[in-house]
Amino acid sequence: MAIDHFVLSLCLILLFGRLLGEIFNRLNLPSVVGEILAGIIIGPTLFNWVSPHETLAVMAEFGVILLLFSIGCETSVKRLYQAGKSAFGVAILGIVLPAFTLGILAAVLLKQPLFTAIYFGSALTATSIGISVRVLAQANQSQTHEGNIILGAAVIDDIAGVILLSILFNFSASGELGLVATTLLIIKVVGFLLLSPPIARGLLYLFRALRPKGNQTGYEAIITIILISLFAWLAHALDAPALLGGFAVGLALSRQFISPLSRYLKNPFPFTHQMEKASKPLVDVFAPIFFVYVGISLDLSLIDFSGNGILILLLLAVVAIATKLAAGLAVTGAWGPKAVVGSAMVPRGEVGLVFAEMGLQMEVISPKLFSELVLIIALTTLAGPMLLKWALSIQNRGTKPHS
């Protein structure tokens, strides 16, 4: 991408993303929906001022890595562990229900062959962790019990999505399932999640000791980006989502970080707090780029808008939303938390788009089916934050004390 096209695209992404996000925020709606809509407006669907490009895609991915870093900074490992059982149940339901139901519908309604139908259903299993987490953070709900369940379930969801994509990719290429390769992949991804936060924590002590004396502005921000970039690269090298690298570094910075060595080492909170504070402007700039780029990636002009085609797509979208909402049933307790968790699992976003793009490249799905899949992803991505906002408002009204 030429520099003049790049700077103009970046200008439009930040301008329209901020403008639409602020408008939606003032209307008491999730700003992330406004940012996605901004991408649809300036992208190929409407004005075509900005087109999908590898350079912008990399910036968008870095934005979601930074967003997960900021969430990790506020996350308690202990509470995340306590939510593990519920999170696992939510994730399993949220994978099995859409994969099975939408796979069958793709075979019956869209007349797709078996493997293509399985791929179609699998592409709609993974939740977009960034979208729901952003809505929760704006509502100050990211560190509630439900927030921890959502975060844990979405992380499991992402890992399962990567493993599922790898299995389908290998099967498409070789015609057989590689059990050894799949097992190795699972071990690598789980090992990364367990080992990377304490390793990153150890590096924090090293960088704190190497901190220059005097008022060296920018040191904390540089170290933060170094660690995020390093662990995002490590995650990708181990075939895990790169965003998990940002999350791992955020966990290491968290004041609530716990490990067997914590009793022997002084908490480096003043240093980690400065790192978190110095990186906030970067998160504020890059995170919206991801959400706007999701909208830019959705070229809805490729969709067949005939009467029958619209009905089928709407049915598939409703089922895609309903099967993720049903995942909230794995949460014990009242209907309020079930609705909040289920709503947060609805958006597919970037993970679904990766599935769709890979399927198109492997020629597992046709360009027409690709467009239909992208539209369903778009509808879930737009509907998810709206449903989550509604569920949170209902729950808040239910928990307010009566006067």
Side-chain angles (χ1 to χ4, degrees), residues 24 27 29 44 59 63 83 90 109 125 128 173 180 184 202-203 233 244 257 287 293 319 342 377 389:
F24 270 64
L27 292 173
L29 296 170
M59 289 188 67
V90 170
L109 297 179
T125 58
S128 174
V180 175
L184 183 61
L203 290 174
W233 173 80
L244 291 181
F257 181 88
Y293 190 76
V319 172
I377 291 169
K389 184 89 173 181

Side-chain angles (χ1 to χ4, degrees), residues 21 23 31 60 81 85 91 99 104 158 197 218 220 251 290 319 360 369 384:
I23 289 173
S31 61
Y81 174 77
K85 186 177 179 180
I104 291 176
D158 264 2
E220 289 84 359
L251 286 178
F290 163 72
V319 172
L360 185 65
L369 187 61

Side-chain angles (χ1 to χ4, degrees), residues 108-149:
V108 175
L109 297 179
L110 300 178
K111 305 291 192 295
Q112 296 298 322
L114 180 60
F115 183 75
T116 302
I118 292 173
Y119 193 93
F120 183 90
S122 299
L124 291 166
T125 58
T127 296
S128 174
I129 185 173
I131 292 173
S132 293
V133 161
R134 178 85 176 278
V135 176
L136 288 170
Q138 290 174 340
N140 295 318
Q141 296 290 317
S142 58
Q143 297 309 309
T144 61
H145 179 62
E146 290 80 17
N148 284 299
I149 292 174

Side-chain angles (χ1 to χ4, degrees), residues 62 65-70 73 200 203-204 207-208 218-232 245-253 270-283:
F62 189 63
I65 290 171
L66 286 173
L67 177 61
L68 264 294
F69 159 76
S70 68
C73 289
L203 290 174
L204 285 177
F207 283 119
R208 187 184 63 169
Y219 180 78
E220 289 84 359
I222 292 171
I223 295 305
T224 305
I225 296 302
I226 287 173
L227 288 175
I228 292 173
S229 301
L230 172 63
F231 281 87
F247 182 62
V249 175
L251 286 178
L253 263 67
F271 181 61
T272 57
H273 178 68
Q274 285 298 319
M275 292 177 68
E276 186 181 349
K277 184 178 177 181
S279 63
K280 189 178 185 303
L282 291 170
V283 177

